[in-house]
């Protein structure tokens, strides 16, 4: 069969030609009968290239029916399955977004509650966080359609414009290696999660927690000009916009969505 569903991602339809079996092992099922399937990699037989395909573990007569129906999938069929899978993922994200974000490699979120207390004590910090909320609310499409794709490229290419502390570099390298064959799917889920984070009223508390971390002086030390410049100037606002949008997208791109989704 050309397709299988990845049950751990809400039933995402996976094409055999792009599948990495080691990543999906144990989570692949037939879209029709829901029986487990495995990936048979492309091979050459009698000088003829046989493409990759999904194969049922059990050899039963009904299998031919599954293969026939999957082989006739239209673009509309594929879109319906994709929409269903996406909705199931969004349901989980609404419940567990903060839990998932804690796995990101970009910034530790362990101290968010202490940072939130500081925001209530220090007016300037509270004002910066409030401004950060405005930045997110007013730049949703810019973040999703401009910053996120750019950050994807910078991260994947290990561009120096994304500053990574030396001791964390091995973790980022391992992350990129693990997601190399699934990069497109990884970025797709990261965008879904980021969009929900930005637009949903149910995510307001999560946005506040993340901003408490990203706007705290101990974190902003990596951008000293944001600590030195007057926050009322256009220069500060422009630098803060660039910093915040990049960091937000980097947080979402460094969550191993395919691995942690259950």
């Amino acid at each position: 069969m050309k397709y299988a569903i990845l049950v751990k991602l809400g039933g995402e339809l996976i094409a055999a030609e792009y599948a990495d079996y080691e990543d999906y092992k144990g989570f692949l099922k037939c879209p029709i009968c829901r029986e487990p399937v495995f990936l048979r990699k492309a091979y050459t037989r009698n000088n003829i290239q046989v493409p990759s395909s999904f194969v049922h573990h059990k050899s039963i007569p009904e299998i031919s029916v599954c293969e026939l129906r999957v082989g006739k999938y239209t673009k509309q069929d594929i879109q319906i399955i994709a929409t269903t899978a996406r909705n199931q993922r969004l349901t989980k994200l609404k419940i567990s977004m903060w839990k998932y974000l804690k796995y990101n490699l970009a910034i530790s979120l362990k101290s968010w509650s202490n940072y939130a207390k500081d925001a209530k004590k220090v007016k300037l910090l509270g004002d910066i966080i409030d401004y950060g909320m405005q930045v997110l609310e007013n730049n949703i499409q810019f973040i999703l359609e401009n910053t996120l794709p750019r950050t994807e490229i910078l991260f994947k290419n290990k561009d120096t414009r994304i500053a990574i502390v030396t001791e964390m570099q091995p973790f980022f390298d391992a992350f990129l290696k693990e997601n190399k064959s699934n990069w497109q799917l990884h970025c797709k889920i990261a965008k879904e999660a980021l969009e929900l984070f930005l637009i949903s009223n149910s995510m307001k508390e999560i946005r506040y927690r993340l901003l408490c971390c990203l706007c705290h002086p101990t974190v902003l030390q990596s951008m000293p000009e944001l600590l030195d410049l007057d926050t009322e100037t256009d220069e500060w606002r422009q630098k803060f916009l660039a910093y915040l949008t990049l960091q937000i997208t980097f947080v979402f791109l460094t969550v191993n969505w395919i691995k942690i989704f259950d």
Side-chain angles (χ1 to χ4, degrees), residues 196-211:
L196 177 66
F197 168 83
L198 291 171
I199 69 174
S200 175
N201 287 332
S202 66
M203 293 288 115
K204 188 173 182 179
E205 171 64 20
I206 306 301
R207 291 195 291 270
Y208 178 76
R209 292 182 185 184
L210 187 52
L211 285 172

PDB file of all heavy atoms in Angstrom, residues 196-211:
ATOM      1  N   LEU A 196      -2.088  27.524  17.247  1.00  0.00           N
ATOM      2  CA  LEU A 196      -3.028  27.393  18.360  1.00  0.00           C
ATOM      3  C   LEU A 196      -2.591  28.271  19.526  1.00  0.00           C
ATOM      4  O   LEU A 196      -3.406  28.975  20.136  1.00  0.00           O
ATOM      5  CB  LEU A 196      -3.108  25.931  18.799  1.00  0.00           C
ATOM      6  CG  LEU A 196      -3.996  25.640  20.014  1.00  0.00           C
ATOM      7  CD1 LEU A 196      -5.459  25.916  19.687  1.00  0.00           C
ATOM      8  CD2 LEU A 196      -3.816  24.196  20.479  1.00  0.00           C
ATOM      9  N   PHE A 197      -1.313  28.243  19.827  1.00  0.00           N
ATOM     10  CA  PHE A 197      -0.736  29.037  20.914  1.00  0.00           C
ATOM     11  C   PHE A 197      -1.002  30.527  20.712  1.00  0.00           C
ATOM     12  O   PHE A 197      -1.312  31.254  21.661  1.00  0.00           O
ATOM     13  CB  PHE A 197       0.769  28.763  20.968  1.00  0.00           C
ATOM     14  CG  PHE A 197       1.563  29.698  21.839  1.00  0.00           C
ATOM     15  CD1 PHE A 197       1.658  29.491  23.201  1.00  0.00           C
ATOM     16  CD2 PHE A 197       2.233  30.783  21.276  1.00  0.00           C
ATOM     17  CE1 PHE A 197       2.408  30.353  24.004  1.00  0.00           C
ATOM     18  CE2 PHE A 197       2.981  31.642  22.063  1.00  0.00           C
ATOM     19  CZ  PHE A 197       3.067  31.430  23.431  1.00  0.00           C
ATOM     20  N   LEU A 198      -0.916  30.986  19.471  1.00  0.00           N
ATOM     21  CA  LEU A 198      -1.042  32.412  19.180  1.00  0.00           C
ATOM     22  C   LEU A 198      -2.482  32.908  19.108  1.00  0.00           C
ATOM     23  O   LEU A 198      -2.763  34.051  19.481  1.00  0.00           O
ATOM     24  CB  LEU A 198      -0.340  32.736  17.854  1.00  0.00           C
ATOM     25  CG  LEU A 198       1.185  32.640  17.838  1.00  0.00           C
ATOM     26  CD1 LEU A 198       1.707  32.778  16.414  1.00  0.00           C
ATOM     27  CD2 LEU A 198       1.815  33.692  18.743  1.00  0.00           C
ATOM     28  N   ILE A 199      -3.397  32.065  18.634  1.00  0.00           N
ATOM     29  CA  ILE A 199      -4.742  32.571  18.348  1.00  0.00           C
ATOM     30  C   ILE A 199      -5.802  32.182  19.372  1.00  0.00           C
ATOM     31  O   ILE A 199      -6.844  32.840  19.457  1.00  0.00           O
ATOM     32  CB  ILE A 199      -5.221  32.115  16.948  1.00  0.00           C
ATOM     33  CG1 ILE A 199      -5.464  30.600  16.923  1.00  0.00           C
ATOM     34  CG2 ILE A 199      -4.238  32.533  15.869  1.00  0.00           C
ATOM     35  CD1 ILE A 199      -6.065  30.109  15.614  1.00  0.00           C
ATOM     36  N   SER A 200      -5.560  31.141  20.141  1.00  0.00           N
ATOM     37  CA  SER A 200      -6.611  30.638  21.030  1.00  0.00           C
ATOM     38  C   SER A 200      -6.648  31.387  22.365  1.00  0.00           C
ATOM     39  O   SER A 200      -5.613  31.582  23.010  1.00  0.00           O
ATOM     40  CB  SER A 200      -6.409  29.143  21.290  1.00  0.00           C
ATOM     41  OG  SER A 200      -7.352  28.667  22.231  1.00  0.00           O
ATOM     42  N   ASN A 201      -7.838  31.775  22.783  1.00  0.00           N
ATOM     43  CA  ASN A 201      -7.996  32.418  24.087  1.00  0.00           C
ATOM     44  C   ASN A 201      -7.620  31.475  25.224  1.00  0.00           C
ATOM     45  O   ASN A 201      -7.189  31.914  26.289  1.00  0.00           O
ATOM     46  CB  ASN A 201      -9.444  32.885  24.265  1.00  0.00           C
ATOM     47  CG  ASN A 201      -9.774  34.095  23.411  1.00  0.00           C
ATOM     48  OD1 ASN A 201      -8.894  34.901  23.094  1.00  0.00           O
ATOM     49  ND2 ASN A 201     -11.035  34.232  23.022  1.00  0.00           N
ATOM     50  N   SER A 202      -7.775  30.172  24.977  1.00  0.00           N
ATOM     51  CA  SER A 202      -7.438  29.187  26.008  1.00  0.00           C
ATOM     52  C   SER A 202      -5.935  29.112  26.259  1.00  0.00           C
ATOM     53  O   SER A 202      -5.497  28.536  27.253  1.00  0.00           O
ATOM     54  CB  SER A 202      -7.963  27.805  25.609  1.00  0.00           C
ATOM     55  OG  SER A 202      -7.299  27.320  24.454  1.00  0.00           O
ATOM     56  N   MET A 203      -5.147  29.707  25.351  1.00  0.00           N
ATOM     57  CA  MET A 203      -3.690  29.681  25.475  1.00  0.00           C
ATOM     58  C   MET A 203      -3.132  30.945  26.133  1.00  0.00           C
ATOM     59  O   MET A 203      -1.920  31.103  26.237  1.00  0.00           O
ATOM     60  CB  MET A 203      -3.048  29.526  24.087  1.00  0.00           C
ATOM     61  CG  MET A 203      -3.294  28.192  23.411  1.00  0.00           C
ATOM     62  SD  MET A 203      -2.382  26.829  24.184  1.00  0.00           S
ATOM     63  CE  MET A 203      -3.763  25.859  24.788  1.00  0.00           C
ATOM     64  N   LYS A 204      -3.999  31.845  26.576  1.00  0.00           N
ATOM     65  CA  LYS A 204      -3.526  33.122  27.114  1.00  0.00           C
ATOM     66  C   LYS A 204      -2.585  32.928  28.299  1.00  0.00           C
ATOM     67  O   LYS A 204      -1.544  33.587  28.402  1.00  0.00           O
ATOM     68  CB  LYS A 204      -4.710  33.993  27.523  1.00  0.00           C
ATOM     69  CG  LYS A 204      -4.312  35.415  27.901  1.00  0.00           C
ATOM     70  CD  LYS A 204      -5.528  36.295  28.133  1.00  0.00           C
ATOM     71  CE  LYS A 204      -5.109  37.722  28.460  1.00  0.00           C
ATOM     72  NZ  LYS A 204      -6.285  38.607  28.666  1.00  0.00           N
ATOM     73  N   GLU A 205      -2.913  32.026  29.189  1.00  0.00           N
ATOM     74  CA  GLU A 205      -2.060  31.767  30.348  1.00  0.00           C
ATOM     75  C   GLU A 205      -0.725  31.171  29.914  1.00  0.00           C
ATOM     76  O   GLU A 205       0.330  31.512  30.473  1.00  0.00           O
ATOM     77  CB  GLU A 205      -2.767  30.815  31.319  1.00  0.00           C
ATOM     78  CG  GLU A 205      -1.907  30.299  32.468  1.00  0.00           C
ATOM     79  CD  GLU A 205      -1.425  31.388  33.419  1.00  0.00           C
ATOM     80  OE1 GLU A 205      -2.034  32.482  33.440  1.00  0.00           O
ATOM     81  OE2 GLU A 205      -0.441  31.144  34.145  1.00  0.00           O
ATOM     82  N   ILE A 206      -0.756  30.299  28.912  1.00  0.00           N
ATOM     83  CA  ILE A 206       0.479  29.690  28.407  1.00  0.00           C
ATOM     84  C   ILE A 206       1.357  30.758  27.759  1.00  0.00           C
ATOM     85  O   ILE A 206       2.583  30.764  27.937  1.00  0.00           O
ATOM     86  CB  ILE A 206       0.168  28.568  27.391  1.00  0.00           C
ATOM     87  CG1 ILE A 206      -0.801  27.545  27.997  1.00  0.00           C
ATOM     88  CG2 ILE A 206       1.456  27.884  26.944  1.00  0.00           C
ATOM     89  CD1 ILE A 206      -0.303  26.891  29.251  1.00  0.00           C
ATOM     90  N   ARG A 207       0.731  31.665  27.016  1.00  0.00           N
ATOM     91  CA  ARG A 207       1.498  32.764  26.410  1.00  0.00           C
ATOM     92  C   ARG A 207       2.163  33.608  27.498  1.00  0.00           C
ATOM     93  O   ARG A 207       3.327  34.000  27.366  1.00  0.00           O
ATOM     94  CB  ARG A 207       0.576  33.640  25.538  1.00  0.00           C
ATOM     95  CG  ARG A 207       0.078  32.966  24.280  1.00  0.00           C
ATOM     96  CD  ARG A 207      -0.514  33.969  23.294  1.00  0.00           C
ATOM     97  NE  ARG A 207      -1.755  34.556  23.754  1.00  0.00           N
ATOM     98  CZ  ARG A 207      -2.965  34.057  23.501  1.00  0.00           C
ATOM     99  NH1 ARG A 207      -3.093  32.928  22.814  1.00  0.00           N
ATOM    100  NH2 ARG A 207      -4.058  34.671  23.933  1.00  0.00           N
ATOM    101  N   TYR A 208       1.419  33.879  28.550  1.00  0.00           N
ATOM    102  CA  TYR A 208       1.962  34.692  29.642  1.00  0.00           C
ATOM    103  C   TYR A 208       3.150  33.988  30.308  1.00  0.00           C
ATOM    104  O   TYR A 208       4.185  34.613  30.571  1.00  0.00           O
ATOM    105  CB  TYR A 208       0.871  34.973  30.676  1.00  0.00           C
ATOM    106  CG  TYR A 208       1.357  35.777  31.861  1.00  0.00           C
ATOM    107  CD1 TYR A 208       1.579  37.147  31.750  1.00  0.00           C
ATOM    108  CD2 TYR A 208       1.615  35.155  33.086  1.00  0.00           C
ATOM    109  CE1 TYR A 208       2.041  37.887  32.834  1.00  0.00           C
ATOM    110  CE2 TYR A 208       2.076  35.890  34.172  1.00  0.00           C
ATOM    111  CZ  TYR A 208       2.286  37.254  34.037  1.00  0.00           C
ATOM    112  OH  TYR A 208       2.753  37.979  35.110  1.00  0.00           O
ATOM    113  N   ARG A 209       3.019  32.703  30.559  1.00  0.00           N
ATOM    114  CA  ARG A 209       4.111  31.957  31.198  1.00  0.00           C
ATOM    115  C   ARG A 209       5.374  31.982  30.346  1.00  0.00           C
ATOM    116  O   ARG A 209       6.480  32.197  30.855  1.00  0.00           O
ATOM    117  CB  ARG A 209       3.686  30.502  31.435  1.00  0.00           C
ATOM    118  CG  ARG A 209       2.599  30.313  32.465  1.00  0.00           C
ATOM    119  CD  ARG A 209       2.307  28.830  32.645  1.00  0.00           C
ATOM    120  NE  ARG A 209       1.189  28.596  33.551  1.00  0.00           N
ATOM    121  CZ  ARG A 209       0.784  27.390  33.941  1.00  0.00           C
ATOM    122  NH1 ARG A 209       1.409  26.312  33.492  1.00  0.00           N
ATOM    123  NH2 ARG A 209      -0.239  27.260  34.761  1.00  0.00           N
ATOM    124  N   LEU A 210       5.194  31.753  29.049  1.00  0.00           N
ATOM    125  CA  LEU A 210       6.359  31.732  28.163  1.00  0.00           C
ATOM    126  C   LEU A 210       7.008  33.109  28.079  1.00  0.00           C
ATOM    127  O   LEU A 210       8.240  33.230  28.078  1.00  0.00           O
ATOM    128  CB  LEU A 210       5.943  31.247  26.770  1.00  0.00           C
ATOM    129  CG  LEU A 210       7.075  31.007  25.759  1.00  0.00           C
ATOM    130  CD1 LEU A 210       8.153  30.098  26.332  1.00  0.00           C
ATOM    131  CD2 LEU A 210       6.519  30.414  24.470  1.00  0.00           C
ATOM    132  N   LEU A 211       6.186  34.146  28.046  1.00  0.00           N
ATOM    133  CA  LEU A 211       6.731  35.503  28.001  1.00  0.00           C
ATOM    134  C   LEU A 211       7.451  35.862  29.298  1.00  0.00           C
ATOM    135  O   LEU A 211       8.447  36.593  29.274  1.00  0.00           O
ATOM    136  CB  LEU A 211       5.616  36.509  27.722  1.00  0.00           C
ATOM    137  CG  LEU A 211       5.122  36.550  26.270  1.00  0.00           C
ATOM    138  CD1 LEU A 211       3.892  37.433  26.150  1.00  0.00           C
ATOM    139  CD2 LEU A 211       6.218  37.042  25.339  1.00  0.00           C
TER     140      LEU A 211
END
